[in-house]
Amino acid sequence: MKKFEGKTVLVTGAGRGIGRAVAVAFAREGANVVINFAGREESAKETVALCEAEGAKAICVKADVSKEEDCKKLLEETHAAFGEVSVLVNNAGITRDKLLIGLTEEDFMSVLEVNLKGTYLCTKLAVKDMMKKRSGRIINLSSVVGVHGNAGQSNYAASKAGVIGFTKSVAKEFASRGITVNAVAPGMIETDMTDAIPEAMHEAMLNQIPLKRIGTPEDIANGVLFLASDEASYITGQVITIDGGLMG
Ligand code: NAD
């Protein structure tokens, strides 16, 4: 029997990158996967095809996680296809990197809206399913930047630190219902998000990683699947750093 057979797993922002790797990893373990996307539908459909190639059932649903109406629709379509959510992975995220001096209110708020408010909205809706079943797993994507900060990313760092505070609080609220809530804090992972980093800076960052390689989306998916598994049933309110040793 596969580990997530019969479970409904909702992954936000799963059209590419870490979200896609998470979706495919759950599909490999037998889950019914809902792939949320906000941008390119073709990319989300590719994720669906990759999940189906693992023998799983998968659908993609367009929704902007920063909008409550969209999130409601996302949950409705999830219920119609696969029933109640067992595992929610709040992965959708954006960056608008600038030094504070040039950071506009729109740069600041847009990042908070997607990374933090999106996590709040999806959690609030999906946790209702989990409360009914008295079991569930919520895994939120934070970042090492949310713990340690980074010049040029004050908006992103604030959103990801917010995700950690949110995770720890919600974990306490729902522990008695059999629901665990944890975060993963990736270091530098090879995706479109990090492609924008200039080559010289890329090299300098690589030199600081003790394991001497940039992480892969699959490295993060492995951590997410562990937190969603039965083996992690006594872990809640935690932040698991997956960064090749970068932050020591
Ligand atoms: P990515 O840019 O490749 O993917 C992010 C996904 O989120 C995209 O598919 C995008 O369309 C989607 N998205 C953006 N806004 C959305 C919205 N409003 N509604 C729904 N979906 C939306 O980035 P990634 O590297 O795969 O990042 C995934 C998560 O991991 C993010 O939360 C990111 O902050 C976090 N993270 C990434 C790294 C890294 O090094 N790549 C490091 C730390 C944390």
Side-chain angles (χ1 to χ4, degrees), residues 34-46:
V34 179
I35 291 138
N36 157 249
F37 70 101
R40 291 179 52 237
E41 185 165 13
E42 315 83 78
S43 191
K45 283 187 171 159
E46 275 171 36

Side-chain angles (χ1 to χ4, degrees), residues 11-21 36-40 43 61-67 70-71 74 90-96 110 113-115 118-119 122 140-146 156 159-160 163 184-195 197 205 214-215 217 220 242:
V11 188
T12 66
R16 62 175 195 233
I18 293 171
R20 171 180 280 181
N36 157 249
F37 70 101
R40 291 179 52 237
S43 191
V61 181
K62 188 175 172 83
D64 176 345
V65 296
S66 69
K67 299 200 165 77
D70 281 26
C71 293
L74 172 60
N90 283 305
N91 166 81
I94 59 167
T95 52
R96 293 276 182 278
S110 59
E113 290 265 322
V114 177
N115 299 4
T119 298
C122 292
N140 299 325
L141 267 290
S142 179
S143 167
V144 291
V145 169
Y156 182 75
S159 74
K160 294 298 184 179
V163 164
V184 292
M188 193 170 170
I189 310 301
E190 195 81 70
T191 67
D192 288 2
M193 192 174 266
T194 46
D195 266 4
I197 298 173
M205 288 171 88
I214 307 287
I220 305 307
I242 305 175

Side-chain angles (χ1 to χ4, degrees), residues 92-180:
I94 59 167
T95 52
R96 293 276 182 278
D97 297 353
K98 278 176 197 166
L99 293 170
L100 179 66
I101 225 76
L103 195 73
T104 65
E105 186 176 347
E106 151 42 36
D107 295 327
F108 191 77
M109 292 313 296
S110 59
V111 170
L112 281 174
E113 290 265 322
V114 177
N115 299 4
L116 185 54
K117 184 181 163 193
T119 298
Y120 148 74
L121 287 173
C122 292
T123 300
K124 193 172 171 189
L125 290 167
V127 82
K128 289 182 187 157
D129 289 2
M130 298 175 188
M131 280 166 72
K132 280 190 218 156
K133 295 195 287 191
R134 298 190 77 81
S135 80
R137 294 278 193 272
I138 300 170
I139 296 112
N140 299 325
L141 267 290
S142 179
S143 167
V144 291
V145 169
V147 181
H148 300 274
N150 195 25
Q153 290 198 303
S154 59
N155 53 350
Y156 182 75
S159 74
K160 294 298 184 179
V163 164
I164 292 174
F166 179 79
T167 299
K168 288 178 179 288
S169 304
V170 176
K172 287 191 191 337
E173 287 186 29
F174 292 99
S176 64
R177 311 291 184 110
I179 300 164
T180 68

Side-chain angles (χ1 to χ4, degrees), residues 228-243:
S229 72
D230 287 346
E231 287 78 10
S233 64
Y234 201 55
I235 302 174
T236 197
Q238 301 305 304
V239 184
I240 311 276
T241 298
I242 305 175
D243 69 349

